[in-house]
Structures are given as structure tokens and as C-alpha cells.
Amino acid sequence: MAHCQWPAPEDPVIASEVEQLDAIVEATHHKRNDLANIVLGGRFSGKLHLGRRAVLGFALQWIQQWTGILAIVGWAGVLFELAGFDPYKALWLAGLANTFGVPGTAAAAFVIDRMGRVKSLITSFIIQGVCLFLVGALIKTSQDHAVSDPELSQRLGIAAASFVFIYVWFFTMFNIIPCWIYGTEIWPQEVRAKGYSFTIFGWATGCGSTTLIMPIFLSRVGYGTYLFFGAMNVVVAPIVWFFYPELANRTLEEISLLFTSDSRLATENLKEYHRRVAEAGGNIAVAARQLLDEVDGKDSERGTELGSPDEKRIEANADAIM
């Protein structure tokens, strides 16, 4: 490591990184990292709260799928037909809308770390909700004037189509990247592959469920489909704001410290993070080591594992006497 990064082997930076790697290797084979235990509420994970992280990653994928992306992109052809375009032009516009997301995804690189994951998502929910409400309202108004005022109906349909492109741009720039990287960042290195597999399961079930109900929604409520998904953006925004800790510009070792509070509120977890780091003298590696010792039932000063509850009580009494 010293040869790769140039500092001398005794450099404090190298020593800190070695401490972090030692902690990761030691935790790799712990039973808390079994996928079954993670899914079953994070058994044996203690203050690491792996079960909570599984729920957050899984839920974020559902949130993404239930805030209108398939209604806008997957069924764009139907949307444009509802807006008054003929089938050929509707399909052409649908393809163009999908292509429009490519530069939007590239633009995400400019905001993902500057704004952070949570603020990016909140921005997307606000814009997506507005776009979906306007799409639904404009489609309904366009349909109402289709006979009485065809020219106005056409203009309203074009306006509805324009908000589809705005939705796609903001979704790809502010939503898709945070949703996918958050599910990887929340996991400790030793269990990232298993944890992220459960996040992907959330995407599969969320995408599958919305795909299943979309034909029913569109055939029965038409424009109301977009009003429904617009409302979903209003519902999920406070959920993300209050329960998802911000992970931008954090090292992988810091992130476990952001989930240590027994409260599910992001603000409480951030307070607990600062408390633990302060107790460790500002050293992230030491704070992470102490967290693992606490979870594993070890005395952080002596590094010995305590046995039965009686032994722990005897040990505590001995410390008090000393």
C-alpha cells in the first residue's frame, strides 16, 4: 500500500487504512452477513442495523418505480395517443422521449455529489410531480375540447407532450443515479454484494408490479393515471427526506456510522455519527473499530470477547471496583 500511494509505511494515513482493512476482513465471515439474517430484520447486526439498510435499499427502488417513470416512458406511446397524436407520431415521440434521457443521465454527473443523493431525489420528486399533474390535466382538457375546438385540443396535446420530455430530463438527471448508487453505498464492504442483491430484488418487484397495473390504470382511468403517479411523488418526498441519511462525500468506512442510531430518522443517525466520531477523537477508523467491537460484544479497550451475561456482569463489577 505504501508503494502504491508513495507515503512511508509508518505514515499515519497508511496506518489508518490498514486498520480499516483489518476491520473489514475480520467482519467478512460473521453470521450477521448471511443474506437470510439480513432479510430477517438484520439479525445479529446490532447497531449496524443491516435490516434497516435492506429496507431502505429495497424501498428506494419501489419509490423510483412508483413515481411515474413507467407511465411516462414505458407507456409513452399510449400517453401521446391520449394527448391527441396519431399512432405513428405517438410512437415516434415515444422513441424520442426515451432517447432524451441519455444526455440527462450524463448531466447527473454534475449534480450527484454537489447536491447530494437526498436533495437530488427531492428535486426530482418535485419536478416529476408537477409534470405528471400537468400531463394529466392537459390530456383531460385536450380530450374535452377534441370536438368543440380541435385546434385548442391539439395545442393542449402538444403542451402535455412537452412535459413528458421535462419529466424524463429531470428523472434521469436527479433520480435514476441516486436511486441506484444509494443501494450500493449503504452496505459495509464485506456484505455489499449480498445487500445489493436485495436492492435489485426491490427493483424487480417494483418494476414488475407497476408494469402489471399500468394497462389496467390506462384503460380504466386514462389521464387519471398520471394524476395518481403525480400524487405518489408528493407521498414519497418526505419519506426520503426524513429517513434516508445523506451519503454524499462520505468514505465507505463512515457510512456504517451513519446507521447506528436506534431511531430511523436521518437527523438522529447523523447526531449519533458525530457523537461516535467525537468519542474516537475524530478518527473514523477508530470509531468504526469501536462500532464493530460493540456489535460483536467485545470490550473495545482489551479486545476480548465477553461470554455469558453473568460473566459480563462480573467483568463490569470488576471494572467498577478498580
Tab-separated table of all heavy atoms in Angstrom, residues 1-9 11 13-14 17-18 21:
chain	number	residue	atom	x	y	z
A	1	MET	N	0.830	-1.200	0.000
A	1	MET	CA	0.000	0.000	0.000
A	1	MET	C	0.871	1.260	0.000
A	1	MET	O	0.582	2.240	-0.674
A	1	MET	CB	-0.923	-0.012	1.218
A	1	MET	CG	-1.963	1.100	1.206
A	1	MET	SD	-3.039	1.021	2.642
A	1	MET	CE	-3.905	-0.506	2.293
A	2	ALA	N	1.962	1.217	0.779
A	2	ALA	CA	2.865	2.367	0.817
A	2	ALA	C	3.511	2.593	-0.538
A	2	ALA	O	3.689	3.729	-0.980
A	2	ALA	CB	3.930	2.160	1.886
A	3	HIS	N	3.867	1.494	-1.238
A	3	HIS	CA	4.477	1.617	-2.558
A	3	HIS	C	3.496	2.218	-3.564
A	3	HIS	O	3.887	2.966	-4.455
A	3	HIS	CB	4.955	0.248	-3.048
A	3	HIS	CG	6.189	-0.242	-2.347
A	3	HIS	ND1	7.390	0.440	-2.370
A	3	HIS	CD2	6.395	-1.342	-1.582
A	3	HIS	CE1	8.297	-0.224	-1.664
A	3	HIS	NE2	7.712	-1.319	-1.166
A	4	CYS	N	2.228	1.874	-3.434
A	4	CYS	CA	1.221	2.383	-4.372
A	4	CYS	C	0.926	3.854	-4.139
A	4	CYS	O	0.684	4.606	-5.080
A	4	CYS	CB	-0.071	1.571	-4.243
A	4	CYS	SG	0.077	-0.137	-4.802
A	5	GLN	N	0.910	4.279	-2.877
A	5	GLN	CA	0.490	5.639	-2.553
A	5	GLN	C	1.646	6.558	-2.189
A	5	GLN	O	1.437	7.699	-1.813
A	5	GLN	CB	-0.519	5.590	-1.399
A	5	GLN	CG	-1.776	4.811	-1.761
A	5	GLN	CD	-2.853	4.959	-0.706
A	5	GLN	OE1	-2.759	5.796	0.182
A	5	GLN	NE2	-3.892	4.152	-0.801
A	6	TRP	N	2.864	6.069	-2.225
A	6	TRP	CA	4.081	6.848	-2.017
A	6	TRP	C	4.459	7.137	-0.568
A	6	TRP	O	5.643	7.234	-0.271
A	6	TRP	CB	4.033	8.181	-2.790
A	6	TRP	CG	3.946	7.988	-4.272
A	6	TRP	CD1	2.856	8.190	-5.054
A	6	TRP	CD2	4.976	7.525	-5.150
A	6	TRP	NE1	3.116	7.886	-6.367
A	6	TRP	CE2	4.433	7.479	-6.460
A	6	TRP	CE3	6.301	7.146	-4.971
A	6	TRP	CZ2	5.156	7.070	-7.562
A	6	TRP	CZ3	7.028	6.745	-6.082
A	6	TRP	CH2	6.455	6.708	-7.352
A	7	PRO	N	3.534	7.304	0.389
A	7	PRO	CA	3.994	7.612	1.744
A	7	PRO	C	4.801	6.463	2.336
A	7	PRO	O	4.749	5.328	1.859
A	7	PRO	CB	2.688	7.808	2.536
A	7	PRO	CG	1.636	7.996	1.517
A	7	PRO	CD	2.080	7.246	0.307
A	8	ALA	N	5.527	6.764	3.391
A	8	ALA	CA	6.286	5.735	4.090
A	8	ALA	C	5.331	4.796	4.816
A	8	ALA	O	4.217	5.185	5.174
A	8	ALA	CB	7.241	6.391	5.087
A	9	PRO	N	5.738	3.536	5.056
A	9	PRO	CA	4.845	2.569	5.717
A	9	PRO	C	4.336	3.036	7.069
A	9	PRO	O	3.241	2.670	7.485
A	9	PRO	CB	5.727	1.323	5.851
A	9	PRO	CG	6.739	1.461	4.759
A	9	PRO	CD	7.003	2.933	4.633
A	11	ASP	N	3.544	6.020	7.847
A	11	ASP	CA	2.709	7.214	7.702
A	11	ASP	C	1.340	6.979	8.342
A	11	ASP	O	0.742	5.909	8.173
A	11	ASP	CB	2.531	7.543	6.215
A	11	ASP	CG	1.824	8.871	6.011
A	11	ASP	OD1	0.576	8.877	6.074
A	11	ASP	OD2	2.503	9.880	5.790
A	13	VAL	N	-1.586	7.965	7.587
A	13	VAL	CA	-2.634	7.670	6.610
A	13	VAL	C	-2.633	6.188	6.254
A	13	VAL	O	-3.676	5.532	6.191
A	13	VAL	CB	-2.449	8.530	5.339
A	13	VAL	CG1	-3.470	8.131	4.277
A	13	VAL	CG2	-2.582	10.006	5.678
A	14	ILE	N	-1.440	5.638	6.023
A	14	ILE	CA	-1.324	4.217	5.709
A	14	ILE	C	-1.783	3.368	6.893
A	14	ILE	O	-2.524	2.389	6.732
A	14	ILE	CB	0.132	3.864	5.344
A	14	ILE	CG1	0.544	4.596	4.063
A	14	ILE	CG2	0.289	2.358	5.165
A	14	ILE	CD1	-0.231	4.189	2.840
A	17	GLU	N	-5.554	3.299	7.059
A	17	GLU	CA	-6.168	2.456	6.038
A	17	GLU	C	-5.996	0.975	6.366
A	17	GLU	O	-6.894	0.169	6.119
A	17	GLU	CB	-5.570	2.780	4.671
A	17	GLU	CG	-5.956	4.153	4.147
A	17	GLU	CD	-5.531	4.375	2.710
A	17	GLU	OE1	-5.172	3.385	2.042
A	17	GLU	OE2	-5.550	5.531	2.263
A	18	VAL	N	-4.857	0.610	6.907
A	18	VAL	CA	-4.633	-0.783	7.297
A	18	VAL	C	-5.604	-1.185	8.402
A	18	VAL	O	-6.159	-2.291	8.392
A	18	VAL	CB	-3.173	-0.988	7.746
A	18	VAL	CG1	-2.999	-2.371	8.378
A	18	VAL	CG2	-2.229	-0.837	6.565
A	21	LEU	N	-8.938	-1.860	6.793
A	21	LEU	CA	-8.952	-3.131	6.069
A	21	LEU	C	-8.998	-4.315	7.029
A	21	LEU	O	-9.683	-5.314	6.768
A	21	LEU	CB	-7.719	-3.227	5.165
A	21	LEU	CG	-7.690	-2.267	3.973
A	21	LEU	CD1	-6.341	-2.344	3.262
A	21	LEU	CD2	-8.813	-2.578	2.995
